[in-house]
Amino acid sequence: MSRTTPGVRLLPNAITVLALCAGLSAVQFALTGDYVLSIGAIGVAAILDSLDGRIARLLDASSKMGAELDSLSDAISFGVAPALVLYVWLPGDDRFGWVVALIFAVCMVLRLARFNTLLDEDQPPFANEFFVGVPAPAGGLTALLPVIVTLEFGTGWWSSQPAVWLWTVATATLLISRIPTLSLKKLRAPAKAVAPLLVGVGLLAAAVIQYPLIALAAALVLYLAHIPYAVRRYHWLAAHPEAWDVPGRERRAMRRGLRGQRRLGLRRPRLRQVAGAARRAVQRSDGSGTGPTTPHVSRVYPPADPARTSSRKRGWRRIGLRQRER
C-alpha cells in the first residue's frame, strides 16, 4: 500500500486554489476594462480545474476537503466571476442586468450542488460517460461568448442587451438541465489515432497563439453542437444494455449493424405475438397447457365438390393477364 507525503497530498489542493485565484482575477481585469485578460483568466481556471482531479487520482491524494474545495472554487470561478464580468461589460439597465447575473450565479451553484449529490447515487455503468447538464467550466466560458465575439468582430446584434440577457439565461438553463453531455474524462483514443491527435494538438496550439479569441469561440460553438449527438448516444446506450461493457469499436459495429437493418427495412419480430401463437399451437397439438388437458381431435374436412370447382374458372381479368389477340 503506497503512502503519499504531505507535500504531494497538498499539490491538488494548491492547484484548486490557483484556479480560484484565476477566477477572482478575472473580475479585477474586468473592472479595469481589460476583458481579454478577464476571459483568459477564466480559461486558465478551467484548465487548472481539469488538472486538479486527475492529479489527485494519480497521486492517490483524494480527500473530502479537496472535493469540497473544488466545488467552492468552481462556484466562484465559473459562476460569480462570469456573472460579474458580464455585468461590468454590458452597460445599460443596471437593475435587470444584475437580475440576470444573479440568475446565472444561482444556477451555477445549483448545478454544482446537484453534481455532488449525484456522486452518492447509484447510476448505470454508461452514465459515467456523461455529465448531467453542461459542466461548470464549459458553462462559465459559454456565458462569455457574446463578449468574445464582440472583442473580435465588433458590436452587432450579439452585443445588444436583449441578446446578451437571453444568451445568459439560456446558458443558465443548460447548467441546471438534465441534458446529457459527453465527459471528456472517459474518452479513449485508439493507438492508430495518437499521431493524428498530436498533430491536431499542435495545430490547436498554433491557432490559440495566433487567434486566441476565434479559437475559443470556435471551440465553444463545437461544444454546443455536440449536445444533440450526446443526447442520441445516451438514449441509445440506455436502450441497449448489452453495449454497456463493450469497447468503443464494438459499439460502433453494433450501431452500424442496426442502421443496416433499418436501411433494408427489416423489423424485429413481435416476440409476444409469435410466442403466444406458438404456445397455443403446441397446446392444440399435444393437449398440454396450463388449463385442463383435452384429448387431441384431428379435424376432418369434407371432400371438394367437383361441380363447384369446375364452375370457379380463373378468368384472365381476375388474374391480371391480357387476352391474347387472335
Side-chain angles (χ1 to χ4, degrees), residues 1-19:
M1 183 175 180
S2 61
R3 295 182 179 179
T4 56
T5 61
V8 173
R9 296 183 63 88
L10 184 63
L11 181 60
N13 294 336
I15 295 176
T16 304
V17 172
L18 289 177

Side-chain angles (χ1 to χ4, degrees), residues 90-297:
L90 188 63
D93 189 1
D94 294 339
R95 295 182 180 179
F96 196 77
W98 182 246
V99 170
V100 173
L102 289 178
I103 291 174
F104 181 81
V106 170
C107 288
M108 179 64 72
V109 174
L110 292 176
R111 186 258 179 281
L112 293 170
R114 185 181 62 186
F115 176 79
N116 292 335
T117 57
L118 289 177
L119 295 177
D120 299 330
E121 295 183 3
D122 294 333
Q123 299 290 333
F126 73 94
N128 295 328
E129 304 177 11
F130 301 90
F131 286 116
V132 180
V134 175
L141 289 172
T142 302
L144 297 176
L145 191 58
V147 184
I148 299 171
V149 176
T150 302
L151 292 175
E152 184 65 30
F153 302 103
T155 58
W157 61 268
W158 52 82
S159 60
S160 61
Q161 290 184 7
V164 176
W165 292 338
L166 182 62
W167 180 261
T168 306
V169 173
T171 306
T173 304
L174 288 177
L175 290 171
I176 61 174
S177 69
R178 303 194 69 86
I179 297 176
T181 56
L182 290 179
S183 174
L184 299 179
K185 300 177 182 179
K186 299 298 180 179
L187 294 180
R188 297 292 183 270
K192 297 181 179 180
V194 173
L197 284 177
L198 291 178
V199 175
V201 170
L203 294 176
L204 179 61
V208 171
I209 294 172
Q210 297 297 327
Y211 309 98
L213 294 179
I214 295 178
L216 181 58
L220 293 175
V221 171
L222 288 177
Y223 181 82
L224 294 176
H226 101 282
I227 293 179
Y229 167 76
V231 173
R232 183 179 179 183
R233 180 176 176 179
Y234 182 90
H235 290 299
W236 187 87
L237 288 174
H240 297 82
E242 66 276 6
W244 290 357
D245 298 328
V246 174
R249 181 180 301 178
E250 297 183 11
R251 281 185 185 178
R252 290 190 292 270
M254 293 173 60
R255 297 185 69 173
R256 285 195 297 267
L258 294 175
R259 285 196 295 266
Q261 292 180 5
R262 298 192 197 99
R263 192 178 297 112
L264 293 175
L266 301 179
R267 297 181 179 178
R268 293 184 178 180
R270 297 181 179 180
L271 300 179
R272 295 181 180 178
Q273 297 182 3
V274 174
R279 189 185 306 111
R280 289 192 295 270
V282 172
Q283 292 175 1
R284 287 196 299 267
S285 61
D286 58 3
S288 62
T290 57
T293 59
T294 57
H296 174 67
V297 179

